[in-house]
Structure formats: structure tokens, C-alpha cells
Amino acid sequence: MNHNHPFRRTAALALAATAALAFSAACSDDAETPAGNAAAAAEGGPEAKNLDGAKKAAQNVFDRFSGGDFAGAWEMYTAAGKAAITKDDYVKLNEACSRKGLSITLSSARMEGTDKAVVIAKQLVAAQSYTMVYEETAWKLEPAKEGLALYAKGADKAIAAQKKAGTCANA
């Protein structure tokens, strides 16, 4: 029996070509897409103002954070969050004290009104709630009051405070 049938070779080549095309398209660089507007950019308009939109945006910010893209995570903060700490200080603080490489996953979420969602995220065995706020055309992460208070100190004092409290992962 001949296993090199022409149809099998053609099918195998077609499958390999399709896989290569899909892989190369998935790996394209879209550097002009602004952080925090992934869904809006993909659809050519605003992010969906519903629970699914909030969950997608939350997972995006958690992926950026756990992957060490702190500047990208900061871009997805609310206007109040961005006003509380500069991007450079946020990056400095998190490079000094945050765990990188541990995935953060959503475990549940709910809407609170029409422009706010509460999401529960887990990292290892710990869970924490976060608030996503719809600003202009995108979902943004609203820092907790404790985070805002820490950010108000500036990066150097915030790092020192976290080290003193034993909450700086890299100390």
C-alpha cells in the first residue's frame, strides 16, 4: 500500500500553509493601538459597555500587570488613577515590589449600575475585588483607596513603605 497518495500530500501542504498563515497573522505587531482600547480597536469603535466588555478589559490589565508591562497597565487606569501617580513612578514602584509572571485570572464579575463593574481576580490562592469604570469609550481600572494613598507618597516612599510593611515582593 502506498502512503504517499497525491491527495494526502496536497491536503498536508494546504494544512501547513493555513497554519503558517494563521500563526503569522496572530503574531503581527499592532504598535499603534492605544493600551486599554483593545476591544475598541478590534471593532473600530468604543468598547462594549456591558459585563463582557468590563471582564475583557479587566483581564487585559491583569495580563499586562502580571506580564511585567506596568506602563501598559497604568495606561488602563482611570483618570483619577493616572492623576494619583505618574507612569514613571508606577513603573518604578511595581518593578521594585510586584511579583511578575504569576497569572491573574478573573473568577467572577458583576455590573454595578451602567458604567461600573466589580470583578474578582485570583492570583495563586488569594482573591481580591477590583472596580472597572467606563470612561469615555473604554473600561478602566479604578485604583482602590489604599492604592491611591500609597501612590500619593511617590515611588521612593511607596517602595520604602511596602518594604517596611513586608508587602514588597522583591525585598
Side-chain angles (χ1 to χ4, degrees), residues 48 89 112 124 148:
D89 275 358
E112 190 169 281
L124 297 176
L148 292 173

Side-chain angles (χ1 to χ4, degrees), residues 46-50 114-117 132-140:
E47 288 181 7
K49 193 175 179 181
N50 58 29
T114 59
D115 61 352
K116 191 180 279 190
M132 300 297 293
V133 177
Y134 197 84
E135 288 186 351
E136 297 179 28
T137 61
W139 287 99
K140 302 290 184 172

Side-chain angles (χ1 to χ4, degrees), residues 6-7 12 18 25 35 40 44 57 59 64-65 70 72 78 104 112 115 118 127-128 130:
F7 291 120
T18 303
Q59 190 61 62
R64 289 172 186 265
F65 189 86
F70 302 122
T78 59
I104 302 169
E112 190 169 281
D115 61 352
V118 176
Q128 184 172 338
Y130 295 89

Side-chain angles (χ1 to χ4, degrees), residues 93 96-97 156-171:
L93 168 62
C97 289
D156 292 329
K157 289 182 180 176
I159 292 166
Q162 284 197 325
K163 285 181 178 180
K164 184 177 180 182
T167 57
C168 187
N170 301 319

Side-chain angles (χ1 to χ4, degrees), residues 10-102:
T10 304
L13 288 172
L15 183 60
T18 303
L21 181 61
F23 179 76
S24 65
C27 293
S28 65
D29 183 23
D30 192 9
E32 295 182 23
T33 303
N37 290 329
E43 297 174 17
E47 288 181 7
K49 193 175 179 181
N50 58 29
L51 188 58
D52 284 339
K55 287 167 55 176
K56 285 178 185 175
Q59 190 61 62
N60 190 5
V61 72
F62 298 144
D63 289 347
R64 289 172 186 265
F65 189 86
S66 65
D69 179 11
F70 302 122
W74 181 89
E75 289 290 343
M76 297 184 72
Y77 263 27
T78 59
K82 288 179 179 179
I85 188 167
T86 66
K87 185 191 297 188
D88 289 341
D89 275 358
Y90 182 80
V91 169
K92 183 177 182 178
L93 168 62
N94 286 292
E95 284 180 347
C97 289
S98 293
R99 288 187 186 100
K100 294 180 253 336
L102 298 175

